[in-house]
Amino acid sequence: MEKTVVGKSYPRLDGPAKALGAAKYVADLKMPNMLYVKVLRSPHPHARIVRIDSSKAAALPGVRAVLSGQDCQAMLGLYLIDRPIFAIDKVRFVGEPVAAVAATSLRLAAQALALIAVEYELLPPVLDLATALAKDAPLVHEKLHEYAHIHNVFFPVPHTNISNHSKIRKGDVNLGFSQSDYVYEATYRVPQMQHVPIEAHGAVAQMDMTGKVTIWSGCQSPNAVRKLAAVAFNLPEGRIRVITPQVGGGFGGKAGIGIEGMVMALAMRVAPYPVRLILEREEVFCGTAVRQGLQATIKTGYTKEGRLLAQEADLIWDGGAYTEYGVNIVRAAAYSSAGPYDIAHLKTDSYCVYTNTPVGGPFRGFGMGELHWALEQQIDAIAAKLGMDPVAIRLQNAVCDGSTNATGEVLVGVGLSKCIEGAARLIGMDATPSERKPNHGKGLACMVKGPSTPGTAASSAFIKINEDGSINVTISSAEIGQGMQTVMAQIAAEELGLSMEMVHINTPDTDYSPYEWQTVASRITYSTGNAVQRAAREARGKLLAMASEKLESPPESLTIVRGVITRRDGIGPATSIKELALGLSLPTGAGRGGPVMGTGYFIPDGIHGMDPETGQTPKVTSHWTFGAQAAEVAVDIETGKVNVLRVSAVYDTGFVLNPLLALGQVEGGIMQGLSVALYEELQLSQGQVKNQSFVDYKIATAAELPEMLVGFVETPLDDGPYGARGFGEHTMVPTAPAIANAIFNAVGVRIVDLPITPEKVLAALRAKPK
Amino acid sequence: MFNQFDYVALPSWTLACSFMASHPTAMIYAGGTDILVRCREGRLLPSHLVDIKGLPGATAMAQAEDGSIVIGAATPLNAIERFLKGKAGYEALVQAAHVVGSWQIRNRASLGGNICNASPAADTAPALLVLEATLLLVGPSGERILPIGEFFLAPGKTALLPGEILRSIVLPAQTQATVSIYLKAARTKAVDLAQVGVALLMLPDKNVRVALGAVAPVPLLAWSGRHSAPPANWTTEETERLVSVVEQMAAPITDLRATADYRRHMVGVLLRRAVEQATLLHQERGEGR
Ligand SMILES: Cc1cc2nc3c(=O)[nH]c(=O)nc-3n(C[C@H](O)[C@H](O)[C@H](O)COP(=O)(O)OP(=O)(O)OC[C@H]3O[C@@H](n4cnc5c(N)ncnc54)[C@H](O)[C@@H]3O)c2cc1C
């Protein structure tokens, strides 16, 4: 059937409210008798808490509660329960919450903090991976072996700093290396970095006199917050209500549960007063989840024709002080460790390592940006060694239908080669050398990613038809700036034959909106999209059944266009969604049926756990999305500065639901990828974040904007709505390696440690053999 | 979180000075782009912020008959850039004003605030040094004039006496044949502090001045003197001689923004580029005449 709404560009539904300042965020909430929270954070990376004396703080007039680990033993964790709400017995990173105060003003709360006396006994800190993995290393978590975790999915190594060891054993690497003409090994590094959403993390919580708790949180995952809080505080889910207003950016930094635990603990102590915590930017840097660091050593065996035969990968992740969420990034990296290439023999060891540094967590790409930083330079380096074209070597090794990935899954519906060719063409990778300006270069990188969710990650949607024939689409995924609301509205409008103005969409409220696992993993268009489509189809079915009776024509013969229901052939009378919204009114004056609603749900089919020893499985994730980017750079060989002139990007998104938003998503991804490539890094000294403001944590500005050339490939996904695949995170994954490869192409030096600073470029240029 | 302070606006410079003299913890408030950030961080705890923007002439600019230019201390950088654009010789200040922060910041950020802050990296300081600006200071006991070279004492420390306020910045007249350039190295192309700033001024009489930012505890006039040839005829050797003299003056440190080595390296790179650009500008002017 002809599509009328999906596939077309619509500006963001949430745009006007945001541009006008009408959109409400958590920090806009003001309630009577609200208390303000300040958090006392650890000044030490690793120390035993000998004593906390908060009596002076508690005695300060206006202070309503002071909580610390002594009062709150609750633990949090999505995959591995290792994180207390407040440090218990010891602190594990600079910035860890030790205590919090709720007071009648922020000023009082800050004063009270200064009155809390904490006595620490310093412990030897574990500040880097080498220390963490050394024999007899101090342990960040002595009781790792007792922590609850999802068995057979995550593999903590007791009495070490390794909280997860994920393995891939595919084929026989020794055989693969012996068949290879050459072997190349290199190590790549990625530092920890911050998501820096424009809205700092914030939450307000209130427990009413019946004991019901409401949390307003600018989070990505209202249902996950509710569930993890229910476990931590031993409350039934139904007694916790999570409301998520507009969210000013997430990028993974607001996934799972974060500050909500502290706020809820305080709210339960001071009921019925609402308590509010809005982090300062400095706290966002040191106290919220960061992108994990990675040290990746890749050893590749290949033939003289450029065919990759074997790969051994050691992925050592700096998970920081707590890895309740991070363990899954490490697993995702293992099962994605072949990257977008068909490699017969694979051995991967991916380790999640505790250190006394900020907590690692999900960050747009969920490990793929880090992994591809290594893989996509590795293949580029191999091409250079062989004197091969970097595009040709990728096309030769790219997965296609029938290839197997790292887990042995046989892939179908793969459009990667078209992406590579498209990105290469857009930037002109094959331009003849004579056209090249000095110190200008082009580089390409590919990527693959699938949503790293449990097999049971579910979505649901609920549609009600209003008296005026408009509809409300109710879901629990968060609008974090990705444009999800607009796309969901398009799907509902498409299915119900409505124009976009007739679709209203809510922000989540777990009391009223149906279940959503989490707004993460680039899965909302795919998973929630399916649920919305099904809900709309159910409502449509009910409408057409009534219309059929009214118009005396079978439902299959009817169609809905802009809310008007007629026979497809246009013959005969018409009715409308509006007329049927509350049920069928009969000529006799009686009514039948009732207000129309539609419900829909979705769980991807057939996801299968990995074999604990080999990681092999028929289907580890719901689907894969492939893409490629190419960058053109100019390197200033005197200053070492890299100017990114142009970036091309082509993704196989299955179906482009909204070209305008898809373009926006790619442009945003390229900018974030460029920023990561050139600037972003948490600079730590003794575990302390030194650059905890935008003065010295630099992100790309509008002045860095390159020319962007964007294309799409549409290989439909069987179970995607209209064939659509997820691709929100993917858009930043290959940018950094594409830039690094372009630098290599321009000046012949390869920067293997992010970010690519001018100092590193100059040092590499000086070291380059003349 | 902010400390509590009172906002004060007074009708005259004299009253403002006496207020400052009698309130030792009061501070001057111009654009606020520095001071408010520091207050929030708790690094400054002023009892009062004394707004000078409404004082007579505080945001005015004028060129006198003799060609000298007077800029009210609280004039925002965007306004200064507009006013000076196209005036020969002042290019360095136009360029320096243009690379401070962002457009929004420059709508507020004042020239006076930029130098009274006494940051070694203040972008306008090297430009003012090569332009040999003088400062009109008003204090409880009257006015005095100070050459900009005597203004910066240490990071965050100026020659302002208690109760003294910078009233205006005076730029000496420049001839049509004078060219100046300011070049800044920073991590991002906008909204970043200088890793190194280099200002160069070339006078038609072969006099050359070079000033540096962010490579010493204070902005520094690194060279002022006659050169062997007029700008248009410099050989590479002549440029290199200047570079090596100027490099000697740099005493950079390593911090989050750059290593000392990189800063030292960039002094030479930027100075060579400044010479190149100044020469070009000189030639263009010559041709235009
Ligand atoms: C996002 C951002 C980016 C920035 N980028 C740059 C940059 O690239 N380069 C750069 O150099 N700076 C930068 N700055 C710093 C700042 O904007 C400039 O230094 C600006 O010129 C300060 O002027 P102001 O009028 O805002 O000063 P204010 O904040 O009002 O004052 C600064 C200091 O000077 C004192 N003061 C101000 N005027 C007088 C006076 N007339 N007499 C005596 N004392 C006075 C104040 O008491 C205070 O101590 C940036 C700031 C921000 C927030």
Side-chain angles (χ1 to χ4, degrees):
Chain A
M1 207 177 74
E2 184 71 27
K3 298 185 189 80
T4 58
V5 187
V6 296
K8 305 225 159 35
S9 288
Y10 288 91
R12 290 258 297 268
L13 294 184
D14 51 325
K18 286 176 177 169
L20 293 166
K24 292 286 176 244
Y25 297 82
V26 169
D28 294 317
L29 280 176
K30 299 271 155 62
M31 293 181 209
N33 300 318
M34 190 160 77
L35 303 178
Y36 295 82
V37 178
K38 275 279 179 196
V39 182
L40 184 70
R41 295 178 181 276
S42 166
H44 305 298
H46 198 190
R48 205 168 67 77
I49 300 173
V50 179
R51 202 174 48 89
I52 300 180
D53 180 359
S54 53
S55 54
K56 282 205 188 105
L60 196 69
V63 170
R64 292 290 152 79
V66 185
L67 283 187
S68 70
Q70 295 166 343
D71 321 286
C72 181
Q73 297 285 316
M75 300 281 286
L76 301 169
L78 192 63
Y79 297 114
L80 163 81
I81 301 185
D82 70 355
R83 186 156 68 91
I85 290 175
F86 298 103
I88 296 174
D89 299 334
K90 68 175 192 171
V91 291
R92 295 185 173 88
F93 68 100
V94 177
E96 175 161 19
V98 172
V101 176
T104 49
S105 78
L106 212 47
R107 196 170 301 284
L108 266 173
Q111 272 173 26
L113 277 198
L115 297 176
I116 302 174
V118 186
E119 193 185 313
Y120 294 102
E121 178 192 316
L122 300 190
L123 297 170
V126 178
L127 297 175
D128 54 48
L129 293 171
T131 312
L133 294 174
K135 227 174 143 41
D136 304 322
L139 293 181
V140 179
H141 290 260
E142 293 83 354
K143 299 214 173 117
L144 172 59
H145 56 286
E146 293 175 9
Y147 290 161
H149 63 275
I150 304 181
H151 280 275
N152 263 336
V153 175
F154 301 105
F155 304 93
V157 183
H159 314 295
T160 71
N161 285 315
I162 299 171
S163 61
N164 181 32
H165 176 191
S166 288
K167 289 186 244 180
I168 293 288
R169 304 285 183 265
K170 179 193 176 192
D172 176 352
V173 270
N174 291 331
L175 178 67
F177 283 121
S178 70
Q179 290 170 346
S180 299
D181 295 315
Y182 304 103
V183 173
Y184 176 65
E185 181 176 325
T187 297
Y188 306 86
R189 286 184 193 82
V190 178
Q192 287 150 310
M193 55 187 87
Q194 232 300 319
H195 314 70
V196 293
I198 192 162
E199 177 205 27
H201 303 57
V204 175
Q206 181 176 31
M207 184 185 226
D208 70 17
M209 293 312 279
T210 74
K212 180 166 178 177
V213 181
T214 303
I215 308 172
W216 292 262
S217 173
C219 67
Q220 292 177 231
S221 314
N223 284 95
V225 167
R226 186 173 71 162
K227 180 170 177 198
L228 297 176
V231 172
F233 295 104
N234 197 21
L235 284 173
E237 265 101 336
R239 299 293 286 161
I240 303 174
R241 175 181 179 192
V242 182
I243 298 175
T244 298
Q246 295 291 347
V247 181
F251 307 109
K254 297 171 185 171
I257 189 167
I259 59 169
E260 295 89 353
M262 276 191 278
V263 182
M264 188 165 158
L266 283 163
M268 291 171 71
R269 182 59 69 97
V270 299
Y273 291 106
V275 297
R276 156 191 156 118
L277 171 61
I278 308 289
L279 295 190
E280 303 283 349
R281 182 58 67 180
E282 291 83 348
E283 295 179 284
V284 174
F285 274 104
C286 71
T288 71
V290 301
R291 174 156 128 172
Q292 298 180 325
L294 170 66
Q295 176 186 307
T297 301
I298 314 284
K299 181 176 159 190
T300 312
Y302 54 101
T303 67
K304 54 184 188 297
E305 291 81 24
R307 187 76 184 89
L308 308 184
L309 295 185
Q311 177 186 291
E312 212 173 284
D314 254 334
L315 308 175
I316 305 176
W317 298 85
D318 190 338
Y322 298 100
T323 65
E324 48 107 354
Y325 206 138
V327 288
N328 196 34
I329 301 167
V330 170
R331 175 177 184 264
Y335 70 62
S336 310
S337 58
Y341 303 116
D342 187 341
I343 306 176
H345 307 287
L346 217 60
K347 175 171 184 278
T348 304
D349 291 280
S350 188
Y351 301 95
C352 193
V353 179
Y354 283 129
T355 59
N356 294 117
T357 63
V359 178
F363 183 116
R364 191 180 195 175
F366 209 66
M368 294 307 108
E370 301 88 306
L371 177 69
H372 286 78
W373 169 249
L375 297 181
E376 283 301 307
Q377 288 210 70
Q378 181 79 355
I379 190 167
D380 217 67
I382 289 171
K385 288 192 177 298
L386 291 171
M388 269 185 85
D389 176 60
V391 177
I393 195 170
R394 285 182 171 84
L395 288 172
Q396 187 188 348
N397 290 286
V399 288
C400 55
D401 285 7
S403 303
T404 57
N405 66 7
T407 64
E409 176 187 351
V410 181
L411 300 172
V412 291
V414 181
L416 173 61
S417 296
K418 287 185 200 157
C419 297
I420 298 173
E421 287 160 355
R425 190 172 49 246
L426 284 174
I427 206 127
M429 282 293 284
D430 49 4
T432 51
S434 64
E435 292 170 29
R436 263 183 63 176
K437 296 191 203 129
N439 306 320
H440 280 55
K442 292 173 187 165
L444 186 132
C446 312
M447 67 84 55
V448 60
K449 183 184 185 302
S452 311
T453 67
T456 53
S459 296
S460 52
F462 165 57
I463 289 177
K464 66 174 174 142
I465 306 212
N466 299 312
E467 294 90 314
D468 62 357
S470 69
I471 63 168
N472 277 65
V473 178
T474 308
I475 51 178
S476 290
S477 58
E479 178 56 63
I480 55 176
Q482 79 279 51
M484 169 283 296
Q485 288 188 336
T486 310
V487 170
M488 293 304 120
Q490 279 179 268
I491 293 174
E494 178 71 44
E495 294 296 332
L496 279 160
L498 284 169
S499 57
M500 282 288 274
E501 309 82 73
M502 299 300 274
V503 183
H504 312 288
I505 191 151
N506 72 308
T507 49
D509 177 336
T510 57
D511 264 11
Y512 301 106
S513 50
Y515 179 84
E516 179 63 63
W517 180 63
Q518 292 203 69
T519 307
V520 299
S522 308
R523 61 182 281 282
I524 296 304
T525 294
Y526 163 74
S527 184
T528 318
N530 273 320
V532 169
Q533 189 181 43
R534 291 177 183 183
R537 284 182 179 169
E538 186 180 296
R540 181 187 176 99
K542 290 181 185 171
L543 286 165
L544 291 187
M546 287 194 281
S548 160
E549 186 173 347
K550 180 157 185 166
L551 304 179
E552 296 177 341
S553 188
E556 315 80 66
S557 70
L558 302 176
T559 183
I560 315 178
V561 176
R562 300 200 142 250
V564 178
I565 307 175
T566 57
R567 269 173 52 164
R568 281 179 206 283
D569 55 18
I571 298 168
T575 181
S576 66
I577 294 182
K578 183 177 172 180
E579 272 181 10
L580 300 173
L582 302 182
L584 191 60
S585 42
L586 302 172
T588 58
R592 194 156 58 237
V596 179
M597 297 177 280
T599 60
Y601 55 60
F602 182 74
I603 290 186
D605 203 23
I607 294 182
H608 208 284
M610 294 158 75
D611 180 276
E613 279 311 310
T614 66
Q616 300 302 290
T617 167
K619 182 174 179 176
V620 73
T621 179
S622 61
H623 68 284
W624 300 98
T625 303
F626 296 89
Q629 290 188 12
E632 180 179 2
V633 303
V635 181
D636 185 328
I637 57 167
E638 286 176 354
T639 64
K641 291 196 193 285
V642 173
N643 199 4
V644 181
L645 305 171
R646 299 193 302 154
V647 177
S648 69
V650 177
Y651 284 87
D652 184 356
T653 55
F655 175 70
V656 181
L657 283 153
N658 182 325
L660 182 68
L661 295 199
L663 178 65
Q665 197 56 255
V666 181
E667 291 177 341
I670 289 172
M671 278 310 278
Q672 197 169 13
L674 183 153
S675 190
V676 161
L678 302 183
Y679 309 116
E680 296 193 41
E681 169 177 34
L682 279 189
Q683 300 199 31
L684 295 166
S685 166
Q686 289 301 303
Q688 160 115 46
V689 182
K690 288 291 165 198
N691 52 342
Q692 50 183 4
S693 88
F694 291 117
V695 177
D696 287 310
Y697 187 95
K698 298 317 288 183
I699 59 173
T701 72
E704 272 79 30
L705 198 75
E707 186 188 339
M708 298 190 249
L709 312 148
V710 178
F712 293 99
V713 169
E714 297 181 281
T715 311
L717 175 69
D718 276 350
D719 66 346
Y722 315 98
R725 299 161 187 266
F727 89 116
E729 298 166 272
H730 309 53
T731 54
M732 75 172 284
V733 169
T735 318
I739 290 171
N741 292 339
I743 293 169
F744 178 79
N745 180 247
V747 292
V749 301
R750 192 166 281 292
I751 308 300
V752 291
D753 296 347
L754 276 175
I756 306 167
T757 60
E759 273 111 324
K760 287 181 196 167
V761 173
L762 278 188
L765 284 170
R766 286 193 189 121
K768 189 175 120 180
K770 287 273 144 32
Chain B
M1 201 175 27
F2 286 89
N3 71 309
Q4 254 160 355
F5 52 77
D6 284 334
Y7 170 89
V8 180
L10 295 157
S12 74
W13 291 96
T14 323
L15 284 173
C17 288
S18 49
F19 187 91
M20 290 299 288
S22 55
H23 296 82
T25 52
M27 295 193 74
I28 298 294
Y29 170 69
T33 61
D34 261 317
I35 201 166
L36 293 180
V37 175
R38 280 153 198 266
C39 289
R40 180 194 159 273
E41 288 169 349
R43 288 199 283 160
L44 290 177
L45 303 167
S47 57
H48 303 77
L49 287 190
V50 181
D51 193 344
I52 57 165
K53 291 191 288 294
L55 293 180
T59 60
M61 284 173 289
Q63 187 156 25
E65 295 233 325
D66 67 355
S68 65
I69 293 170
V70 181
I71 300 175
T75 312
L77 295 174
N78 269 344
I80 295 174
E81 184 186 340
R82 277 193 296 271
F83 182 79
L84 291 181
K85 206 156 203 164
K87 291 192 167 56
Y90 300 103
E91 297 84 1
L93 187 53
V94 172
Q95 291 159 353
H98 184 76
V99 295
V100 169
S102 62
W103 180 266
Q104 293 90 329
I105 291 291
R106 298 193 295 272
N107 273 339
R108 295 284 299 184
S110 67
L111 185 59
N114 195 235
I115 58 174
C116 290
N117 208 33
S119 155
D123 279 306
T124 65
L128 293 175
L129 282 165
V130 296
L131 287 167
E132 293 191 333
T134 54
L135 307 177
L136 177 62
L137 312 180
V138 283
S141 49
E143 296 190 343
R144 63 174 176 135
I145 287 175
L146 196 72
I148 179 96
E150 293 168 28
F151 188 63
F152 304 112
L153 304 182
K157 213 170 149 19
T158 66
L160 284 169
L161 299 171
E164 230 172 12
I165 308 176
L166 170 63
R167 179 168 178 160
S168 55
I169 298 106
V170 182
L171 308 176
Q174 302 296 342
T175 71
Q176 199 58 30
T178 303
V179 293
S180 67
I181 298 286
Y182 176 72
L183 295 178
K184 166 181 182 173
R187 291 160 298 187
T188 47
K189 291 180 192 167
V191 206
D192 195 10
L193 300 175
Q195 294 171 308
V196 175
V198 173
L200 166 75
L201 180 128
M202 287 178 159
L203 293 161
D205 64 359
K206 302 186 193 170
N207 261 312
V208 172
R209 295 180 206 136
V210 179
L212 303 177
V215 294
V218 294
L220 196 74
L221 185 67
W223 169 258
S224 173
R226 282 179 78 77
H227 215 76
S228 43
N233 305 334
W234 277 20
T235 59
T236 315
E237 291 71 47
E238 276 158 330
T239 304
E240 287 311 313
R241 215 161 32 237
L242 181 66
V243 167
S244 66
V245 174
V246 167
E247 274 177 344
Q248 304 275 311
M249 301 293 292
I253 55 164
T254 293
D255 63 13
L256 292 172
R257 265 152 243 160
T259 59
D261 276 349
Y262 187 71
R263 288 196 158 101
R264 206 169 292 117
H265 170 76
M266 287 303 288
V267 168
V269 173
L270 293 186
L271 182 52
R272 285 184 199 97
R273 289 182 181 186
V275 168
E276 217 168 278
Q277 291 183 20
T279 311
L280 261 178
L281 200 58
H282 211 269
Q283 281 163 3
E284 281 167 23
R285 290 249 176 85
E287 281 156 21
R289 231 179 290 139

